[in-house]
Structures are given as C-alpha cells and as structure tokens.
C-alpha cells in the first residue's frame, strides 16, 4: 500500500489513523422516497486507503447510495430490522462529490468555479488562500492555462476536469464520484481515468479513499480495490469483489486489459450482474 | 449564440454597426417617402402632417412634457422592479407568502390598468404620483413572474453541490440563486421598460396637466395633429432609448446566457 504517500494534515482528526480503518460505514441502510423503496439494508464499509467502485443496473440506487454517504439523504429510521445509520470515526471526513455533469456556474471563470468549493460553508478557506489553492488544483488537472476562461469556452472533457479540480481544491478525505466521466467519449474518458489513477496513487492533499459509481466494468476493475455490485431496485448489495490486480497500476494502465486477473474479474462481475435472483 | 469571444472579435463589431445602420437607412427612407407623399397627394395637415411639420412642432414645451413623462416612467419602473424582485425573493423563500400573495398578484394582472387609472387619480391626485403608480402597477407582474422563475431556475445538481459544502442559505442566495436569476431579471427589466411608458401615458390620459399623454389628448381636441405626432414620437423615443440601454447592459453583464425568459 502507499501509506507512506499519505500526507495527513495536522488538523485532520483521522490523520494518524491506520490505513484500513473505516472512514465511513453504511449500517443497515434502507431508503424509501415518496413510497418508493429504493435501497434495502445496505451494509458497506469504506476503509482508509481504498478505492471502491459501485456498479449495478441503471436506476437501481447507486447515486442514492452516494447521497447517503454525503448525508444529503437520511436512511430510513423505521426499518423493520432497526434504524439505518451512517457512521463516521469520531469526526466526519471532509467529503467531496464529483457529479455526472460538471455542474459549473456559467457566470464564473474556471478559477472562480474552482474557488467556489473553497468559499462555501462553515469550513471555508480564508479568502487570501483561495486563489493559490484553486490554481494548484487546476495545475493538478492540467488546466491552469485556462483559469480565466468561462465554462462555455471549454470542451466537455475540460469542463469535467474543472469540476474535478473544484472537488480536489477543497481537499476531500473521501472523494465520491458519480459516473464522473460517463458523458465523455471513450478516449477522453481513458485519459481522465489515468489522470485520476495517478492522482490517487500520489494521494494528493490528504485524500484517503475514493468511492466511484460507474457503468463501466473496465473502469471499475482497472481503478478500484473492491467492486460493490448492487442488485436491481430495491437495491441491496449482491456481492463485493476484491480486485486482485497489483498496485500501483498507472504504469501498466494501458495494457491492463491483457492481464489474466483483469479478464477473470471482468467475467466474474458480468456473471454477478446478470445473475437472476 | 452569444459568447464572450465572439463579442471581442472584429466581426462582432461589424455586426453591431450593421444593426444600427440598417434601421437608420430604412427609417430615413420611410420619412422621405412620407414627406413626399404628403406634398404630392396634398394630404390635409390635420390628417397626416409632414415629418417636417412634426419637427417644427418639437419645441421646448415638448421637451418639458417629455421630461415629466420620463420621470414618471423611471420612477414607476424603479419601484416596480425593486418591489417585484423583493416579493419574488419572499415567494421563493417563504411558501406561505407565495400562497397568500400569488392570487392577489394574478388579480392585479388581470384587472385592466385603464380601469384602475381613474381610481389612482382620485387617490393620488393629478400630479406625477398617480402616473408613477400606474406605471409601477403595469410593470409589477412581469417583473414578479420572471424573477420568481429566475430564482427557481437552479438545477437539482447545483443545489446538491452547494449543500455538499454545507453552504448557508445566504450563500446559496448570493452565489447561486441571484446570479442564476439574472438573465430572467434582465428580460423582466426589458419587458417592463416598455410597459412603464405605457403606464405613465395611460395615467396621463385620465387626469393630468403635463406629460406626453396629456399633450396627445389635448392636441386631439384641437386637431393639432403635428403636435400629437411630436408627442407620439417622443413617447416612442423614451421607450426605445430605455430598451436600448437595458439591452446594452444585458449584453455586457449577462454574457453567459441569452435565452432564458419571456
Ligand atoms: N425523490 C425521489 N422520489 C422517488 N423516487 C426517487 C427519487 N429520487 C430517485 N428516485 C428513484 O430511485 C431510484 C434510484 O435512483 P438513483 O438515481 O440512485 O439510481 P442510479 O442507480 O444512480 O441510476 P443511474 O444508473 O441511471 O444513474 C430510481 O429508480 C429513481 O426513480
Ligand atoms: Mg445515478
């Protein structure tokens, strides 16, 4: 593991926790919205230092699961098997979300959009530090030269990278991604996946764990340590598969598909997805 | 589509002059044709005065009356827009306010202003106040509707983005709702700029001793059609100039979105 690469900031409570300690736990989480039963008894532990992917049939509740982790939604309290809980170790980790769409503010420049995540909420960054942090994040995704552009002047892939920079600038410990590159063409997507992988392997800015929702088996297997397979609605966890690929993976990323463990894992996931039950 | 880039390019400048040149040439031709036909067909002045006669009728009196109408228009516009936007903010943040006031706003919209204007004169007198009120009343509804629409135009993802960072209500308002509403508010301003002139003139028709509406009315009694035309032109000019200024502000500041509201 790359535990040595983790730079734990002094103010972070989990700073001296070990890799492998839970960062966020969904305990028996069920969710009903407007009488629609969406999630069914989800038990899932996200540990420090791991990259977890979530796959499942469309509309099953993957985004909803991320919303639970972000506490934008609360699990049902009156489930027959006890109330659902979202559990954190002592202090909530800083969470950042990358949405399927870039969700950029068209009236702000690229820099302004990145600074947005630093200028909201109780944990906002002091004004004088925002610009530097925003530019560092833009540098990370290779878009510093576009800091003064407006979102409309950028391609879809670039916009998605700006969104990623915005998320990273706030230095999340837990990075949640909802099909972040789903709307992009395959080549751009591949490039961005590799960038993400490198970023992850360098553990930029106190990043501890990533949870990514994806529709792509390739993305799930090539990037993550574990893949969570959800069943169709009401979604429960069908299985969780460990990916037996060596790390770091960025060096051999382009030829990862040729390896046997990769192909076996893909085949296994496909079987799980199509299993009738 | 209008982007920041295209406006800086030389082509954009050319197009802007085009937009001025074509109407100017067309209007000049129209005026010449009008002048010529009045003389050729010997049309009586009380039916259709020649443009040169209308120009003669534009004296310092007209300027004074224009100034009166302009002030009424501006005040009405200002009051309606501030009040309309404020009520819209209330609507969006406090549901009971919307539920109780929306029917009133609809009733206000459906009541013809012409029917209300005499009442305004009774209440506020024949001075400027009644015209300002008429002008504000006619502007209020479109401003309100567009502002509400604009303040509600944020998408679910933006809202979630802000909530992810635990943004406060104030932050959501200043950094999301308000900027998102600007294109809508801008078109509300443009719509109400023309309506504000209408309101002021309707008010003047009903009971006034100054203003362009008053001039139109009085000149119609005396068949001073040239004076009437001069007042009509002045009123049209106020509306146009007002609209152009707002359009220029819109182009300059609301560069990210042109479509948006009605
Ligand atoms: N507010 C709501 N009220 C009722 N049902 C909802 C609500 N929000 C989402 N749903 C339903 O919950 C289900 C899960 O939605 P969710 O967006 O989590 O699915 P998903 O797995 O992310 O889908 P996709 O693959 O299309 O992104 C969907 O069937 C949706 O119709
Ligand atoms: Mg989804």
């Amino acid at each position: 593991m790359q535990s040595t690469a983790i730079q734990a900031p002094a103010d972070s409570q989990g700073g001296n926790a070990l890799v492998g300690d839970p960062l966020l736990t969904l305990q028996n989480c069920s969710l009903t919205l407007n009488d629609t039963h969406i999630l069914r008894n989800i038990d899932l532990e996200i540990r420090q230092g791991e990259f977890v992917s979530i796959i499942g049939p469309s509309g099953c509740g993957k985004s909803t699961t991320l919303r639970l982790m972000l506490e934008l939604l609360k699990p049902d309290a009156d489930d027959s098997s006890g109330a659902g809980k979202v559990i954190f170790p002592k202090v909530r980790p800083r969470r950042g979300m990358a949405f399927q769409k870039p969700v950029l503010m068209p009236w702000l420049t690229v820099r302004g959009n990145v600074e947005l995540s630093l200028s909201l909420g109780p944990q906002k960054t002091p004004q004088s530090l925002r610009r530097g942090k925003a530019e560092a994040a833009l540098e990370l995704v290779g878009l510093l030269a576009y800091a003064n552009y407006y979102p409309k002047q950028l391609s879809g892939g670039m916009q998605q990278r700006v969104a990623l920079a915005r998320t990273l600038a706030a230095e999340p410990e837990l990075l949640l991604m909802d099909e972040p590159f789903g709307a992009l063409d395959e080549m751009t997507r591949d490039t961005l996946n590799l960038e993400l992988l490198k970023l992850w392997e360098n553990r930029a800015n106190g990043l501890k764990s990533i949870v990514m929702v994806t529709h792509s088996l390739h993305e799930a297997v090539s990037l993550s340590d574990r893949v969570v397979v959800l069943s169709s609605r009401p979604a429960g966890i069908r299985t969780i598969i460990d990916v037996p690929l060596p790390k770091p993976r960025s060096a051999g990323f382009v030829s990862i598909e040729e390896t046997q463990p990769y192909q076996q894992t893909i085949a296994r996931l496909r079987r799980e997805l199509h299993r009738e039950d | 589509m209008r982007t920041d880039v295209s406006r800086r390019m030389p082509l954009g400048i050319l197009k802007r002059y085009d937009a001025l040149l074509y109407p100017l040439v067309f209007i000049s031709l129209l005026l010449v044709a009008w002048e010529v036909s009045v003389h050729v067909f010997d049309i009586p002045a009380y039916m259709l005065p020649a443009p040169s006669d209308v120009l003669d009728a534009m004296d310092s009196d007209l300027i004074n009356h224009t100034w009166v109408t302009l002030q009424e228009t501006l005040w009405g516009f200002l009051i309606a827009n501030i009040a309309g936007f404020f009520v819209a903010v209330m609507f969006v943040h406090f549901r009971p306010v919307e539920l109780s006031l929306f029917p009133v706003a609809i009733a206000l919209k459906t009541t013809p202003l012409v029917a209300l204007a005499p009442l305004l004169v009774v209440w506020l007198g024949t001075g400027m106040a009644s015209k300002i009120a008429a002008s504000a009343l006619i502007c209020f509804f479109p401003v309100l509707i567009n502002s509400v629409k604009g303040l509600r135009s944020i998408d679910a993802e933006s809202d979630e983005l802000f909530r992810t960072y635990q943004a406060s209500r104030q932050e959501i308002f200043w950094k999301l709702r308000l900027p998102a509403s600007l294109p809508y508010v801008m078109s509300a301003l443009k719509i109400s700029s023309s309506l504000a002139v209408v309101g002021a003139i309707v008010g003047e028709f009903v009971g006034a001793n100054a203003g362009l509406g008053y001039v139109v009315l009085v000149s119609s009694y005396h068949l001073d059609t040239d004076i009437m035309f001069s007042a009509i032109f002045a009123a049209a000019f106020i509306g146009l100039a007002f609209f152009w200024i707002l359009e220029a502000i819109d182009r300059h500041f609301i560069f990210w979105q042109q479509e948006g509201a009605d």
Side-chain angles (χ1 to χ4, degrees), chain B residues 75-91 97 101 105 108 133 135-137 139-145 147-148 151 189 192:
Chain B
W75 281 114
F77 173 83
L78 212 66
I79 290 170
N81 278 286
I82 291 171
F85 189 75
F86 180 77
V87 173
V89 171
M90 293 292 124
F91 271 26
V97 177
L101 280 190
L108 201 67
S135 174
L137 269 180
C139 292
F140 181 77
F141 194 79
V143 171
L144 174 67
I145 290 301
S147 305
V148 168
L151 291 167
L189 294 185
S192 61

Side-chain angles (χ1 to χ4, degrees), chain A residues 67 70-73 92 95-97 99 101 103-108 116-124 130 150 152-153 166-168 170, chain B residues 1-5 8 154-168 171-172 175-177 179-181 255-259:
Chain A
R67 288 199 181 92
L70 280 167
E71 296 176 287
L72 291 174
L73 291 172
R92 290 170 160 71
R95 285 153 289 172
M97 174 77 163
F99 296 89
K101 290 194 276 172
V103 201
L104 300 174
M105 307 295 124
W107 53 85
L108 295 176
L116 190 64
S117 66
L118 301 172
S119 48
L120 296 176
Q123 302 180 17
K124 56 172 151 283
R130 285 180 204 158
Y150 284 93
K152 272 198 172 172
Q153 299 170 295
R166 178 185 58 203
T167 313
L168 292 174
Chain B
M1 208 175 65
R2 193 179 65 207
T3 67
D4 209 30
V5 192
R8 267 194 243 115
I154 55 178
D155 51 11
E157 284 97 345
S158 303
D159 185 55
E160 284 192 331
L161 176 75
F162 274 65
R163 285 203 288 139
T164 319
Y165 294 107
Q166 286 145 41
S168 63
E171 283 170 338
I172 292 181
K175 295 185 176 173
L176 182 59
R177 277 194 195 282
S181 76
F255 52 84
W256 64 88
Q257 194 182 2
Q258 186 169 34
E259 77 287 358

